[in-house]
Amino acid sequence: MYGAALKQLETKIDIINNEFKTLHKYNPIEHVSSRIKSKESIYKKLKKKGLEPTYENLVKTINDIAGIRIICSFIPDIFKIVEMLENMTDITVIKKKDYVTTPKTNGYSSYHLIVSVPVSLSMGTINVKVEIQIRTMAMDFWASLEHKINYKYDKQIPKGIKKELKECAKMTQKLDKRMSHLGRNLMEEEKQIVKEITTEYSTVYATALLTGNAGV
Ligand code: 0O2
């Protein structure tokens, strides 16, 4: 059921991306990946929560068994994608965590949505929870390195490395802001060029109409 929910969501995200490309002439999503949490990881998470490893506890308390990660170019894209997902009538947003506006104390930044997706099986329709993480390439770079370091030190990262990671996170945030600013300027320039071409074309066409040369 988790695999089916992921497939459905991936299709929806693909549709969002194509719609965005058509409407705004640019592609907000760099890439999308999905995964189903490993048994070991589910077991560890239940243990951490002080719960027995039962099917009921797993379904009720673990929100990220099925996970999708959406990587964008710029910070504003994250919020646009969140808005588009929220507007979809066939998925329900259960929970939102905005670590983009307010990063975690360790520096982690990303937008998390827990959504419920209806999956039709032969025995009926069930609602399946999926975690969607939306972040920029820079945020993803930081998070994947921090994840590896965490794994290496079994979540007991030495103080010096923690400090270094926090500084890197600050640099990542600055880089994201500057890149988003550059991206916005570039898009404004492109819009202006399209506007100028359209205006020029309209003038030429109107003149042609008035002089009876519209066919030309
Ligand atoms: P893995 O191995 O990536 O699957 P909740 O019950 O939903 O309130 P939860 O699940 O702890 O509590 O929620 P949260 O904080 O949204 O974290 C869910 C996932 O986000 C994590 O899953 C990570 O993938 C990612 N994440 C959260 N905080 C950090 C962080 O500080 N660093 C990195 N690198 N990733 C983070 P898992 O199960 O922890 O790990």
Side-chain angles (χ1 to χ4, degrees):
M1 66 186 190
Y2 288 107
L6 283 179
K7 268 190 196 159
Q8 283 192 187
L9 256 181
E10 275 171 330
T11 307
K12 285 181 200 301
I13 291 163
D14 198 34
I15 293 169
I16 285 185
N17 203 23
N18 284 332
E19 183 194 345
F20 210 90
K21 257 193 258 174
T22 312
L23 290 179
H24 305 287
K25 307 278 175 260
Y26 101 102
N27 192 352
I29 299 175
E30 286 292 332
H31 61 263
V32 178
S33 59
S34 64
R35 66 101 183 90
I36 293 189
K37 214 174 179 67
S38 68
K39 275 184 248 167
E40 295 74 22
S41 188
I42 294 172
Y43 182 78
K44 266 192 202 165
K45 209 158 183 173
L46 283 173
K47 216 172 149 197
K48 203 175 132 198
K49 286 175 187 265
L51 296 168
E52 285 295 310
T54 63
Y55 179 74
E56 206 186 4
N57 283 340
L58 174 155
V59 173
K60 264 194 195 157
T61 66
I62 314 274
N63 293 327
D64 64 341
I65 293 177
I68 288 199
R69 193 167 286 157
I70 304 176
I71 310 297
C72 311
S73 310
F74 308 116
I75 298 170
D77 297 337
I78 298 177
F79 296 100
K80 276 180 209 143
I81 291 165
V82 171
E83 199 187 325
M84 286 170 116
L85 286 167
E86 281 182 315
N87 286 340
M88 288 197 157
T89 47
D90 46 358
I91 63 170
T92 312
V93 176
I94 302 174
K95 201 169 170 184
K96 292 197 276 187
K97 282 189 193 173
D98 181 1
Y99 297 128
V100 175
T101 311
T102 319
K104 281 176 68 172
T105 44
N106 63 355
Y108 176 77
S109 193
S110 190
Y111 202 109
H112 294 187
L113 287 178
I114 306 292
V115 299
S116 167
V117 187
V119 172
S120 299
L121 300 172
S122 58
M123 61 184 112
T125 301
I126 42 167
N127 291 313
V128 181
K129 280 188 279 183
V130 179
E131 183 190 68
I132 310 178
Q133 297 184 348
I134 312 159
R135 49 172 85 146
T136 63
M137 286 184 275
M139 291 172 191
D140 193 48
F141 182 33
W142 185 94
S144 57
L145 180 65
E146 194 260 3
H147 191 270
K148 278 181 202 147
I149 294 175
N150 239 325
Y151 189 78
K152 180 172 185 264
Y153 290 101
D154 203 17
K155 304 217 167 173
Q156 303 295 315
I157 305 180
K159 258 189 189 167
I161 300 178
K162 256 191 195 169
K163 195 169 162 248
E164 186 82 0
L165 274 170
K166 255 190 175 181
E167 275 165 27
C168 287
K170 276 189 194 143
M171 285 161 77
T172 307
Q173 283 153 21
K174 268 193 194 153
L175 176 69
D176 259 338
K177 275 189 191 142
R178 287 179 76 166
M179 295 292 269
S180 297
H181 185 72
L182 271 178
R184 198 172 53 222
N185 285 349
L186 184 75
M187 269 178 272
E188 287 305 319
E189 274 173 26
E190 275 176 5
K191 265 191 208 159
Q192 188 57 32
I193 292 170
V194 171
K195 207 169 145 191
E196 278 165 19
I197 293 171
T198 315
T199 315
E200 199 176 318
Y201 178 77
S202 306
T203 314
V204 171
Y205 192 65
T207 314
L209 271 179
L210 288 172
T211 55
N213 290 325
V216 182

